[in-house]
Amino acid sequence: MNNTDPIYNSLMMKTIRKEATDQKPVWLMRQAGRYMKEYREVRAKVDFLSLCKSPELVSKVTCEAQEKIQADAAIIFADILLIAESFGFDLSYHEGLGPVLESSDPQALHHIKAISQDRILNELSYVQEGLKQTRKNLPSDIPLIGFAGAPFTVSSYLIEGGKTKTQFQKTKDLAMSSPDTWKKIMEALAQSSIDYLKMQIDAGANILQLFDSWVGILNPEQYMQWVEPYVTQILQEIPKEIPTIYFGAKTKHLLPYIKNLPCSIYGISDDQDLVEAWDIVEGKPIQGNLSPEILLQSWPQVESAAKKIMSQSYGRTGHIFNLGHGILPQTPVENVIELIQYIHEYRQ
Ligand code: CP3
């Protein structure tokens, strides 16, 4: 990438390099989703997995969402659990229940091995093709974000069989009682995620986000022992010219540890004050952290919460506006459009 490249000169990339910009970049986690009429129309015709596996539809919903809300980045439409199919698990999604993961082999997790690069290229080729088409269809100055789930968060679904019903007890039990199996699972997921993310770079991803959504349930000691080495390994393997974002929900108590990860941007969740977070990460770029629940309120409340974040970060470089977790399906789309316009027009 050279300095006449529209992506290099985008609001997102300038902000990541901590250059001054006259507007702040903003995008929202899960910006293509059920709160949007256009998305619901597509989903009325195809189930969620078929949508993820159709490069044409992936490109359509990714680009439509970016354009409709005027976000400064697009995130490829996919899911962190797609990779589980390549590990031999059956993956399905159920209304109200969320994802369900099953394996015919009860010992599957005990002899898990990293998936070969070839297998990733083959079995997740629809993600590769979706990225290629989306990159082609997006405006040339809008970065495309690729992503993967981090090993802890993905393993929690494999171990619990879906969304946890026990506050991640099975996952914690396995980590505590079978450290060798735990290490095997984490190493297999880390190595496969590296290959998967590199494939996404080759297919056109300009930035990568690692979703470690559920690490917030761990204490610092557990985080450092069970999670940190594998996340570090993944982040170290990503070529330096591709910025990386690391995100976990409700991670205020872990930020003093997360701050040492070799990522380019820290995703800050909504349990934390932005200025405090910035002090902890020593001024490195951050992303966040409006509470998604605020967007369910009327505009004056949204505005007041957005204003707080904007005034806290005004005049400082290196802040990407986002939510503290994914957007909720009940969110009124008008609030989202107005929020992004507000951020773009904000002057102190
Ligand atoms: O951000 C985007 O617009 C890109 C798409 C995206 C989806 N999932 C689409 C999706 C991304 C980045 C994800 C990541 C993801 N998936 C995470 C990490 C982010 C987070 O929110 O913490 C997690 C934990 C998952 C696993 C997952 N996938 C769950 C728990 C669910 C069910 C959620 C629910 O509310 O039903 C999914 C399904 C899913 N992934 C949907 C979407 C739009 C809803 C499916 C539908 O259309 O019915």
Side-chain angles (χ1 to χ4, degrees):
M1 203 159 17
N2 61 43
N3 58 9
T4 56
D5 184 296
I7 295 293
Y8 182 90
N9 290 305
S10 65
L11 265 185
M12 283 286 289
M13 292 300 195
K14 282 186 173 166
T15 298
I16 293 166
R17 293 194 299 270
K18 295 191 71 179
E19 291 172 17
T21 55
D22 51 8
Q23 274 185 2
K24 194 186 281 287
V26 49
W27 70 278
L28 307 179
M29 289 186 276
R30 300 270 190 111
Q31 69 190 19
R34 285 166 293 182
Y35 75 102
M36 204 174 262
K37 178 172 105 284
E38 291 79 354
Y39 176 81
R40 291 194 301 270
E41 283 168 7
V42 173
R43 278 282 283 104
K45 295 192 202 105
V46 291
D47 62 59
F48 178 67
L49 259 185
S50 308
L51 167 52
C52 289
K53 292 180 180 181
S54 158
E56 292 76 26
L57 291 177
V58 161
S59 171
K60 175 179 152 71
V61 299
T62 306
C63 295
E64 254 171 20
Q66 182 275 328
E67 194 190 355
K68 177 148 183 155
I69 67 173
Q70 288 293 296
D72 296 298
I75 181 159
I76 191 69
F77 191 85
D79 196 79
I80 61 164
L81 299 176
L82 297 174
I83 200 165
E85 287 193 317
S86 311
F87 281 103
F89 284 77
D90 287 330
L91 172 65
S92 53
Y93 292 85
H94 306 267
E95 198 71 46
L97 189 66
V100 171
L101 285 144
E102 290 163 318
S103 172
S104 51
D105 173 6
Q107 292 293 306
L109 282 168
H110 291 271
H111 32 76
I112 194 167
K113 279 207 294 281
I115 318 159
S116 72
Q117 221 167 349
D118 281 353
R119 187 150 175 202
I120 288 183
L121 280 177
N122 273 327
E123 298 201 4
L124 292 156
S125 61
Y126 57 88
V127 176
Q128 189 178 33
E129 190 52 36
L131 281 156
K132 282 185 189 162
Q133 292 196 20
T134 307
R135 184 56 279 166
K136 220 182 316 162
N137 294 335
L138 273 179
S140 61
D141 61 345
I142 297 294
L144 177 56
I145 303 173
F147 70 89
F152 174 81
T153 295
V154 173
S155 77
S156 76
Y157 285 94
L158 301 181
I159 296 163
E160 310 268 339
K163 213 162 88 181
T164 180
K165 297 176 192 79
T166 60
Q167 292 288 346
F168 299 92
Q169 202 51 54
K170 282 190 188 174
T171 310
K172 289 185 186 178
D173 273 350
L174 194 140
M176 278 188 248
S177 64
S178 313
D180 292 343
T181 304
W182 180 261
K183 187 161 179 269
K184 227 157 100 177
I185 299 172
M186 291 296 110
E187 282 175 354
L189 288 174
Q191 189 51 54
S192 309
S193 306
I194 290 166
D195 291 336
Y196 182 42
L197 289 167
K198 285 184 174 168
M199 173 191 93
Q200 296 187 41
I201 298 171
D202 291 342
N206 307 110
I207 298 172
L208 296 173
Q209 178 151 330
L210 204 49
F211 282 94
D212 216 349
S213 301
W214 309 133
V215 285
I217 58 123
L218 300 177
N219 67 36
E221 198 186 324
Q222 294 167 331
Y223 181 80
M224 290 308 284
Q225 201 180 333
W226 299 343
V227 177
E228 188 274 344
Y230 310 102
V231 171
T232 297
Q233 189 196 343
I234 298 173
L235 292 167
Q236 270 171 349
E237 289 276 335
I238 303 302
K240 286 291 149 272
E241 59 279 15
I242 300 293
T244 48
I245 309 168
Y246 179 74
F247 168 78
K250 305 285 180 269
T251 45
K252 179 181 161 124
H253 61 297
L254 298 178
L255 196 60
Y257 305 87
I258 288 174
K259 78 149 197 195
N260 294 321
L261 294 177
C263 61
S264 326
I265 303 121
Y266 298 94
I268 306 299
S269 68
D270 47 36
D271 58 339
Q272 182 143 40
D273 178 83
L274 203 65
V275 173
E276 275 174 31
W278 234 326
D279 285 345
I280 293 170
V281 304
E282 295 167 23
K284 274 184 71 171
I286 57 176
Q287 172 174 286
N289 70 343
L290 185 75
S291 164
E293 286 88 24
I294 296 278
L295 279 175
L296 305 183
Q297 308 305 312
S298 56
W299 172 250
Q301 283 159 288
V302 180
E303 178 178 3
S304 135
K307 189 173 184 174
K308 178 173 173 215
I309 293 176
M310 293 305 279
S311 57
Q312 282 184 322
S313 58
Y314 194 82
R316 297 180 70 152
T317 55
H319 176 224
I320 299 165
F321 194 104
N322 204 313
L323 302 179
H325 202 168
I327 197 165
L328 297 166
Q330 320 85 286
T331 305
V333 72
E334 304 76 40
N335 271 356
V336 177
I337 293 170
E338 196 152 354
L339 171 71
I340 293 191
Q341 205 174 344
Y342 175 81
I343 288 155
H344 283 155
E345 288 169 2
Y346 184 91
R347 302 289 178 268
Q348 193 156 271

